[in-house]
Amino acid sequence: MQLFYNPDIDQNSPEFVFPTEESKHIVKVLRKAEGDILHITNGKGFLFEAQILRADMRKCAASITKATFHEKTTPALHLVVAPTKMNDRYEWFLEKATEIGIAEITPIICDNSERKVLKLERMEKVLQSAMKQSLQYHLPKLNEPISAKTFIAQNNPDNNKEQEFYIAHCEETEKTDLKERLTPGNNALILIGPEGDFSVSEIALALKLGYKPVSLGENRLRTETAAIFACATMKLVN
């Protein structure tokens, strides 16, 4: 199944028009014609079947013939991950995390971060592409970058009792394996730092506010690898 994405349609949309780029892909590349059926998601859980009304390469129009809502099947994972030095590594993480299944991503700027500027528009396109490729109907939420200390202060166990809070750091202190910490059925938020790890003060703040320290194994992992490991562990536990 070829899945398309259009965030503006819902079950009450009688007719809609695809953007020029997707219209060209539908008509010229896929050679779709009037009367053909397309599958579309709005990234909010809906899968639509739509019939092409006008096979125009600039403004391909279609009407919805069927709408099916898909509930999320696993607890929500919010990964809070520092940007990697190379943009392509962070984009790889976004792609793979979306394929595995993730609800929300927040880039955090840490004391030891080497990269502090991100191209969110490009990152959104990576998420959309990965969602379509993996035939999913919920687009992960991508938040604006924020400093680690500000995020930790604003998001802690006292403010949200419906979520488990973890920090994965490299300091030689007592930690529990993530897979043993995660509770099946519970939402989780996991902090993962930059190549230089979280600073001592960032770790201290998180622990003070109730974040639980976790280990991702004995090997030292790159930031993007650690994030994918955490995502896969959450999926397996559930």
Side-chain angles (χ1 to χ4, degrees):
M1 180 175 70
Q2 178 83 36
L3 186 64
F4 294 91
Y5 170 65
N6 189 316
D8 299 321
I9 65 172
D10 58 34
Q11 64 272 34
N12 300 315
S13 302
E15 180 179 331
F16 61 93
V17 177
F18 285 96
T20 302
E21 186 177 342
E22 280 202 317
S23 294
K24 185 176 181 180
H25 181 72
I26 291 167
V27 178
K28 187 173 183 179
V29 179
L30 299 179
R31 299 185 182 280
K32 297 293 185 179
E34 292 178 8
D36 286 347
I37 298 296
L38 302 175
H39 295 89
I40 308 139
T41 182
N42 61 1
K44 302 166 188 173
F46 275 97
L47 171 63
F48 301 99
E49 287 186 8
Q51 187 174 38
I52 295 177
L53 300 176
R54 296 188 301 278
D56 188 318
M57 283 196 298
R58 291 170 295 179
K59 294 182 178 180
C60 179
S63 64
I64 295 173
T65 58
K66 182 180 178 181
T68 306
F69 183 75
H70 295 258
E71 294 282 356
K72 293 183 179 180
T73 58
T74 57
L77 173 62
H78 183 179
L79 279 181
V80 184
V81 186
T84 52
K85 185 177 180 180
M86 303 299 292
N87 270 327
D88 60 342
R89 292 187 179 277
Y90 206 83
E91 290 174 5
W92 178 85
F93 143 63
L94 294 174
E95 178 184 77
K96 302 311 173 189
T98 301
E99 290 177 17
I100 295 170
I102 189 171
E104 189 171 357
I105 302 119
T106 300
I108 48 170
I109 309 304
C110 302
D111 291 341
N112 295 327
S113 290
E114 293 189 56
R115 177 173 293 279
K116 300 184 179 182
V117 177
L118 293 171
K119 298 177 180 178
L120 290 186
E121 184 177 348
R122 179 182 171 92
M123 291 164 63
E124 281 283 0
K125 290 182 179 179
V126 171
L127 295 177
Q128 294 168 16
S129 178
M131 177 190 66
K132 293 188 293 182
Q133 186 275 327
S134 55
L135 299 182
Q136 298 187 68
Y137 314 120
H138 292 271
L139 182 69
K141 180 183 179 184
L142 177 63
N143 297 314
E144 293 281 343
I146 184 174
S147 80
K149 289 177 181 175
T150 300
F151 179 90
I152 293 169
Q154 294 176 351
N155 299 269
N156 61 73
D158 287 339
N159 297 334
N160 189 341
K161 301 297 184 181
E162 300 178 355
Q163 186 169 244
E164 297 178 356
F165 290 76
Y166 301 105
I167 179 170
H169 64 79
C170 301
E171 289 290 308
E172 295 296 331
T173 57
E174 186 176 346
K175 291 174 283 190
T176 305
D177 282 348
L178 177 63
K179 65 178 180 295
E180 296 175 11
R181 278 284 196 184
L182 290 170
T183 304
N186 285 5
N187 297 336
L189 181 153
I190 305 172
L191 296 174
I192 295 174
E195 284 90 337
D197 198 15
F198 290 108
S199 66
V200 172
S201 60
E202 288 168 341
I203 295 171
L205 177 62
L207 298 181
K208 178 182 177 182
L209 294 179
Y211 281 75
K212 298 174 182 177
V214 291
S215 168
L216 302 180
E218 296 180 359
N219 297 348
R220 177 173 290 181
L221 305 178
R222 290 180 181 272
T223 295
E224 69 276 13
T225 310
I228 293 301
F229 183 93
C231 188
T233 300
M234 176 75 173
K235 192 75 170 180
L236 289 169
V237 165
N238 288 282

